[in-house]
Amino acid sequence: MDVTNKTAVTEFIFLGFSGSSSLKLALFLMFLTVYLLSLLGNTLIIFLILMYSTLQTPMYIFLGNLSFLEIWYTTATVPKLLATCVTKSVTIPVAGCIAQYYFFFSLGATECILLAVMAYDRHLAVCRPLHYSLLMGVPNCLRFSAGSWIGGFIAPLLPTILISQLDFCGPQKINHFFCDSDPIFKLSCSDTFLVEALGYTCSSVVILSSFLLTMSSYGNIVVTIIKLSSREARKKTFSTCASHLTVVTIYYGTIIFAYVRPPAKYNFTIGKVISVFYCVITPLVNPLIYTLRNKDVMKAFQKFLSQKRCLLKRNIHEF
């Protein structure tokens, strides 16, 4: 595209969701509530894991990593989403938009890898229990965790560098509530074929490979569970893994729909609705599922509440 006589864009404007003022206010209150509950739930999980040694095992270390990731994953997008619901014009500098793109996709790739690692951890615990402590001790757990973060932040690096080289010369309105890939490409007056193809390839490889590894681990777990002779053992094992599988299904189902498809098939309205699921809903669902369905976490939480009640009673008595 000829960029002659066109003014370079220095900032973008988020359009967010369209609708009446009352609808936007309702969306704001709903998104704010979910966001705050998500921050509270994930922070609580991290706190419990750090406080109680009974939770400092590989499975809960991975869960702590996931909760830490979810805090930043949702914080990368939701504040702008909330702003679009109550403000007529929400802007972001082009450099800030590219930074948001990088951190959002880095955290997303990290979550994909981390979910695959967590599934592998459950696979070892169920299918190879006698070798579990050797194969997945705390040192190996920390290596897997570090590898997930490093791999996740490397994955979108090259597409981000290419996007930073694009020219933007109008229009400057992003039909979304954050700097997603397709809305950015639509605003560029440069040839985006290479960066679109590379971004599509990277996202497809990360999402599908981690998804297949995750499903493979859970497939082996299901086979092993069926072979267990004790009904109680089958029930306990399935209950633990079912919570993980629920998170995996919700997250992968939405991101595969959103990113594993040709760029030409993108629909902005559907894209925004789908984005709400993996940007807003999933970070809240994770702590709810892992805490409500996990006896160890619930015991630690009850112990924490009991200690706080005792401390409060002591302070009242001294007063």
Side-chain angles (χ1 to χ4, degrees):
M1 184 181 295
D2 183 15
V3 297
T4 306
N5 297 326
K6 291 191 176 182
T7 304
V9 170
T10 58
E11 65 180 17
F12 296 127
I13 302 173
F14 290 117
L15 297 182
F17 288 98
S18 59
S20 63
S21 299
S22 57
L23 174 61
K24 287 190 173 183
L25 178 59
L27 290 174
F28 172 81
L29 293 174
M30 181 181 69
F31 292 145
L32 178 61
T33 301
V34 173
Y35 177 55
L36 293 177
L37 288 175
S38 174
L39 293 181
L40 177 63
N42 285 296
T43 302
L44 180 60
I45 289 178
I46 295 171
F47 173 77
L48 292 174
I49 292 171
L50 292 175
M51 282 292 294
Y52 298 101
S53 58
T54 54
L55 298 181
Q56 293 171 8
T57 61
M59 184 176 80
Y60 296 111
I61 291 174
F62 289 134
L63 176 56
N65 274 269
L66 182 63
S67 292
F68 181 75
L69 183 150
E70 295 290 20
I71 290 172
W72 294 106
Y73 186 64
T74 189
T75 301
T77 57
V78 173
K80 288 294 185 183
L81 169 60
L82 294 174
T84 60
C85 294
V86 294
T87 308
K88 289 184 178 180
S89 180
V90 179
T91 62
I92 185 172
V94 172
C97 185
I98 295 172
Q100 186 188 51
Y101 168 93
Y102 174 69
F103 283 108
F104 174 77
F105 282 98
S106 294
L107 292 167
T110 302
E111 181 159 359
C112 287
I113 300 170
L114 191 57
L115 288 174
V117 170
M118 293 174 72
Y120 178 65
D121 171 69
R122 291 300 84 205
H123 161 75
L124 291 179
V126 174
C127 303
R128 304 184 66 181
L130 298 179
H131 300 91
Y132 179 75
S133 58
L134 177 64
L135 297 174
M136 191 59 78
V138 173
N140 283 342
C141 167
L142 296 176
R143 292 188 189 100
F144 274 115
S145 298
S148 299
W149 285 93
I150 293 171
F153 274 75
I154 289 176
L157 190 57
L158 183 56
T160 303
I161 293 173
L162 292 179
I163 289 175
S164 69
Q165 304 303 310
L166 296 177
D167 293 314
F168 298 96
C169 41
Q172 62 183 135
K173 293 181 179 180
I174 294 182
N175 190 10
H176 213 305
F177 57 83
F178 75 98
C179 294
D180 204 355
S181 52
D182 287 282
I184 293 177
F185 298 146
K186 295 293 183 183
L187 297 182
S188 175
C189 48
S190 303
D191 182 4
T192 61
F193 175 78
L194 176 60
V195 65
E196 284 191 63
L198 182 61
Y200 172 73
T201 301
C202 288
S203 61
S204 297
V205 169
V206 171
I207 293 171
L208 291 180
S209 61
S210 59
F211 175 72
L212 291 175
L213 288 172
T214 302
M215 289 298 102
S216 175
S217 295
Y218 282 114
N220 290 330
I221 289 173
V222 170
V223 171
T224 303
I225 290 175
I226 294 173
K227 293 179 180 178
L228 292 175
S229 57
S230 170
R231 182 180 178 181
E232 185 64 28
R234 286 199 301 268
K235 182 180 178 180
K236 181 179 179 181
T237 305
F238 182 77
S239 176
T240 302
C241 295
S243 61
H244 295 206
L245 196 55
T246 302
V247 173
V248 166
T249 302
I250 295 173
Y251 183 68
Y252 279 113
T254 53
I255 64 171
I256 286 175
F257 183 87
Y259 297 110
V260 185
R261 46 114 189 101
K265 300 291 184 180
Y266 188 81
N267 181 290
F268 287 103
T269 302
I270 296 176
K272 283 186 282 188
V273 174
I274 294 297
S275 297
V276 169
F277 282 92
Y278 57 81
C279 292
V280 183
I281 305 299
T282 302
L284 173 64
V285 170
N286 284 346
L288 287 177
I289 289 177
Y290 282 116
T291 54
L292 294 178
R293 296 182 60 90
N294 191 292
K295 293 181 180 179
D296 293 333
V297 176
M298 290 303 296
K299 285 181 180 178
F301 182 57
Q302 290 169 0
K303 184 178 179 180
F304 169 72
L305 291 179
S306 177
Q307 291 172 342
K308 288 300 178 183
R309 281 196 296 266
C310 291
L311 181 61
L312 180 61
K313 289 180 180 178
R314 186 185 309 158
N315 290 338
I316 293 175
H317 178 72
E318 290 177 355
F319 179 77

